[in-house]
Structure formats: structure tokens, C-alpha cells
Amino acid sequence: QVQLVESGGGLVQPGGSLRLSCAASGRIFTIYNMGWYRQAPGKQRELVARGTPGGYTNYGDSVKDRFTISMDNAKNTAYLQMNSLKPEDTAVYYCNALVDLAAYWGQGTQVTVSS
């Protein structure tokens, strides 16, 4: 079994920054990719960013040029640096990982952008 533990959410003013972390632990042989999705009230869950240990990344259109995903392969940890945050970025952010061909989700962390 694999566990994903997220941290780093919170309240930030518009234009501010936050960094989310997602650490994978447990029985891990190969992490194929790790990423972040978000879900705002009344909306569907959407892709924010995804990365691979080899350095490939892709982003949702609404966060390109503002958010950056990175991975520390030695720590099985993914990071999401979020800059220039907007009120519409407010959502619960969920970590997702494809580990040994099974998909896992974190418990979610709240990000609120408000003045």
C-alpha cells in the first residue's frame, strides 16, 4: 500500500505564493508520475500539474506560467510552487501518483486565496 501525504495549503492574499508538498511512502517500486488536481465547490476536479521523475511536466491552461511542479526523486516527493495566486485558484488540492501502475490520491489540502 502507498500513502500520499500533502502539506502546505492555507490562506494567502491575491498575488501571493504558496508551496505544496506531496510525499509518497509505503511499498514503492516505481513512481511513474506525480501531480496535483484541484476541486472548487460546485466544480469538477481538474488537472493542475503533472510531472515525471525524468522531468516531463504538463499544466492546466489556467495555471501555466504561474505554477511550477518539481520532484525530488530521492524523497519520492513532489512540490507545487504556486505564484501570482488568484481568488479563482481557491480549491481543495489533491495529490495524485501513479505508483507501480496503480493510482493513489492524497487526502487533499485547502488553498484559499482571499483578501
Side-chain angles (χ1 to χ4, degrees), residues 9-30:
L11 173 65
V12 63
Q13 292 186 342
S17 298
L18 281 175
R19 190 176 84 150
L20 305 182
S21 300
C22 175
S25 62
R27 184 173 294 180
I28 297 171
F29 184 69
T30 302

Side-chain angles (χ1 to χ4, degrees), residues 51-95:
T52 70
Y56 171 81
T57 59
N58 71 298
Y59 296 91
D61 289 341
S62 62
V63 306
K64 285 179 180 177
D65 300 324
R66 297 189 298 123
F67 291 9
T68 303
I69 189 170
S70 61
M71 291 182 66
D72 184 330
N73 298 333
K75 296 181 178 179
N76 292 333
T77 299
Y79 303 96
L80 184 69
Q81 179 65 42
M82 305 186 292
N83 298 328
S84 303
L85 283 160
K86 305 175 181 179
E88 50 264 43
D89 294 317
T90 296
V92 178
Y93 284 67
Y94 296 92
C95 179

Side-chain angles (χ1 to χ4, degrees), residues 1-5 23-28 31 34 75-76 99:
Q1 190 70 0
V2 174
Q3 296 80 40
L4 302 179
V5 178
S25 62
R27 184 173 294 180
I28 297 171
I31 294 179
M34 295 183 73
K75 296 181 178 179
N76 292 333
V99 180

Side-chain angles (χ1 to χ4, degrees), residues 6-10 18 20 35-49 63 67 80 82 85-96 105-113:
E6 302 140 332
S7 61
L18 281 175
L20 305 182
W36 296 89
Y37 287 74
R38 68 186 182 187
Q39 188 166 20
K43 295 188 177 181
Q44 290 188 330
R45 191 171 295 190
E46 63 176 357
L47 172 70
V48 177
V63 306
F67 291 9
L80 184 69
M82 305 186 292
L85 283 160
K86 305 175 181 179
E88 50 264 43
D89 294 317
T90 296
V92 178
Y93 284 67
Y94 296 92
C95 179
N96 172 268
W105 289 93
Q107 78 283 359
T109 186
Q110 177 70 45
V111 172
T112 302
V113 185

